[in-house]
Amino acid sequence: MSTQSVVKASWMDKFGGRGKLIQILIIAILILGVLPMVADIFRLNLYGKYLTYAFVAAGLVLCWGYGGILSLGQGIFFGLGGYGMAMFLKLEASSPENTAIQSTPGIPDFMDWNQITELPWFWEPFHSFPLTILLILTVPAFFAFVIGYAMFKRRVGGVYFAIITQAIASIMTILIIGQQGYTGGINGITDLRTLMGWSIQTDFAQYVLYFACGIALILCLLVGQYILNSRYGQLLIAMRDQEDRVRFSGYDVANIKIFVFVAASVFSAIGGAFFTLQVGFMSPSFVGTVASIEMVIFCAVGGRLSLIGAAYGAFLVNLAKSSLSESFPQLWVVAMGALFIAVVMLFPRGLAGLVSDYAAPVRDRLLGLFNRKPPAPKADAPKPESARPQKRDGVSIGSAQETH
């Protein structure tokens, strides 16, 4: 094998090999090529909303599928990212010119309704877009680090960690609703119209935001594949299966868990920020326990051991949710619960497991038919000595068995 092919193979191996890269290429073609061609702008905006949940599902694959850490509070980080983007957009929409009719111009309308006369200090950094992007990434990461450090350093895990994260999601929802003057309350932050002077409500803007969301999702999938195929990914699997053995080998298991939990929170925050941009508002209903459990279902349906499968699962479950809730709004919650039970009991590896069990062998068989090489021609048997032509004085006189 040449040096160039070895370098090429090692580069691909960092992302799971050629097969994984082809799968990511396929999902990129579907997101960036097929869907924009077949869907109108209304449906495409809905599809962009579904893709924002794929960020959360991909983070849960790292955290839950490979790390063994079931978090029922990913809505916390999704909401932090979404609220961060919403605060920037709301401040831009609340310029003194746009809020001249308020008693206190220059602050969001819900603050004016609650007799707040000055912008709170924690809103001030969101006047800057670069600082907003930085805060969208760092605030959820810091919050996840605090939770992870408090839990994992004390070896709290399993169902206890899941219950604690669910409780924190509930607390966060109650806090947001209770602080109506600072957060918009149960209605959330609404009436978001522009991004740095650029209207996000036009059809062209929705196309641009959809493609930006799709590209960011592909990049997150690549980052996730890089993590899983690195030495750290091997430690994740070892920690999930034999945590004590990893600890006795000299590794700090708590730090490994903290890292993957923080990485999953950053993925979720990115999804929340794109959700706000595409939907145009953010409310506490996307932060609480119901939303967080739905995010776990997205991951479970797609396959908690497959980043790409989780992305498909998030998209398909939300597509089914929109379709069924339009016709049977009262039955969707029951259908969601039944779907989760079916996944756990019948196909625990999700759609990715079904594909690997049934579709992959058919694919390999078909590829084998196309790639089959014709049999090599058999070598001629050596002629006996008596059958070889003889020469006399440099002239061939034929074989000894020729009759004259």
Side-chain angles (χ1 to χ4, degrees):
M1 184 179 294
S2 64
T3 305
Q4 184 178 2
S5 60
V6 171
V7 172
K8 183 177 180 181
S10 63
W11 174 82
M12 289 184 177
D13 290 340
K14 292 181 180 180
F15 297 94
R18 179 177 298 176
K20 290 294 183 182
L21 289 176
I22 291 176
Q23 293 176 19
I24 294 177
L25 178 61
I26 292 173
I27 196 174
I29 293 173
L30 290 174
I31 293 174
L32 304 177
V34 176
L35 291 180
M37 293 176 60
V38 301
D40 56 31
I41 187 59
F42 173 75
R43 291 293 175 185
L44 193 66
N45 190 41
L46 278 180
Y47 297 160
K49 172 187 171 183
Y50 304 158
L51 292 178
T52 60
Y53 291 113
F55 290 88
V56 189
L60 280 169
V61 169
L62 298 176
C63 182
W64 177 34
Y66 284 87
I69 306 166
L70 176 58
S71 171
L72 296 180
Q74 291 304 105
I76 301 169
F77 313 112
F78 186 84
L80 287 173
Y83 267 96
M85 181 59 69
M87 290 166 74
F88 171 79
L89 298 178
K90 190 63 176 179
L91 286 178
E92 186 171 334
S94 302
S95 62
E97 295 79 12
N98 295 333
T99 57
I101 62 173
Q102 295 180 179
S103 58
T104 307
I107 64 174
D109 48 10
F110 56 83
M111 293 185 183
D112 188 65
W113 300 337
N114 287 273
Q115 288 78 46
I116 295 178
T117 59
E118 186 179 359
L119 191 69
W121 62 269
F122 57 87
W123 275 75
E124 292 290 347
F126 293 95
H127 281 292
S128 169
F129 184 68
L131 191 54
T132 298
I133 298 299
L134 180 62
L135 291 174
I136 286 174
L137 298 176
T138 56
V139 171
F142 176 76
F143 199 57
F145 175 81
V146 172
I147 296 174
Y149 190 89
M151 297 295 105
F152 300 138
K153 287 296 184 179
R154 292 169 174 79
R155 300 190 182 182
V156 177
V159 66
Y160 303 104
F161 181 80
I163 293 174
I164 290 173
T165 53
Q166 188 176 20
I168 295 174
S170 298
I171 294 171
M172 183 70 70
T173 305
I174 295 171
L175 180 64
I176 293 174
I177 295 174
Q179 299 297 319
Q180 180 174 334
Y182 300 101
T183 62
I186 194 170
N187 295 320
I189 302 177
T190 60
D191 195 24
L192 309 176
R193 297 186 292 264
T194 61
L195 173 65
M196 302 181 67
W198 176 59
S199 175
I200 61 174
Q201 297 178 332
T202 64
D203 291 350
F204 175 73
Q206 291 180 4
Y207 271 112
V208 172
L209 292 174
Y210 171 83
F211 280 103
C213 179
I215 293 172
L217 176 60
I218 299 304
L219 292 176
C220 283
L221 293 178
L222 289 173
V223 171
Q225 284 295 146
Y226 182 83
I227 293 174
L228 293 180
N229 290 278
S230 65
R231 182 169 172 269
Y232 183 79
Q234 297 176 354
L235 285 175
L236 276 179
I237 298 174
M239 179 192 69
R240 180 195 64 193
D241 297 337
Q242 294 289 339
E243 180 176 329
D244 290 336
R245 181 172 296 181
V246 174
R247 182 178 290 110
F248 295 153
S249 298
Y251 294 99
D252 193 331
V253 173
N255 289 341
I256 299 174
K257 290 183 176 182
I258 291 171
F259 174 82
V260 73
F261 187 54
V262 169
S265 72
V266 172
F267 278 27
S268 300
I270 296 172
F274 276 107
F275 179 90
T276 299
L277 286 171
Q278 295 190 93
V279 178
F281 75 97
M282 175 54 68
S283 74
S285 61
F286 303 106
V287 181
T289 57
V290 175
S292 298
I293 293 174
E294 286 184 350
M295 294 169 185
V296 173
I297 295 176
F298 302 156
C299 177
V301 171
R304 61 190 179 98
L305 294 176
S306 172
L307 287 167
I308 301 168
Y312 282 116
F315 183 86
L316 294 176
V317 172
N318 278 281
L319 182 62
K321 178 180 179 180
S322 296
S323 303
L324 292 178
S325 60
E326 291 174 359
S327 304
F328 309 100
Q330 302 297 329
L331 296 179
W332 169 246
V333 179
V334 178
M336 180 73 84
L339 179 63
F340 184 67
I341 294 173
V343 168
V344 172
M345 298 187 64
L346 300 179
F347 46 104
R349 291 192 295 154
L351 295 176
L354 293 177
V355 170
S356 63
D357 291 340
Y358 298 101
V362 174
R363 178 202 63 194
D364 296 338
R365 196 176 299 117
L366 292 175
L367 291 176
L369 291 176
F370 286 110
N371 296 330
R372 181 178 296 174
K373 297 180 179 180
K378 296 182 179 180
D380 294 337
K383 295 182 179 180
E385 187 69 24
S386 59
R388 295 178 181 174
Q390 301 177 1
K391 293 183 179 181
R392 181 181 299 171
D393 298 331
V395 179
S396 175
I397 61 173
S399 65
Q401 297 177 351
E402 289 183 352
T403 57
H404 301 281

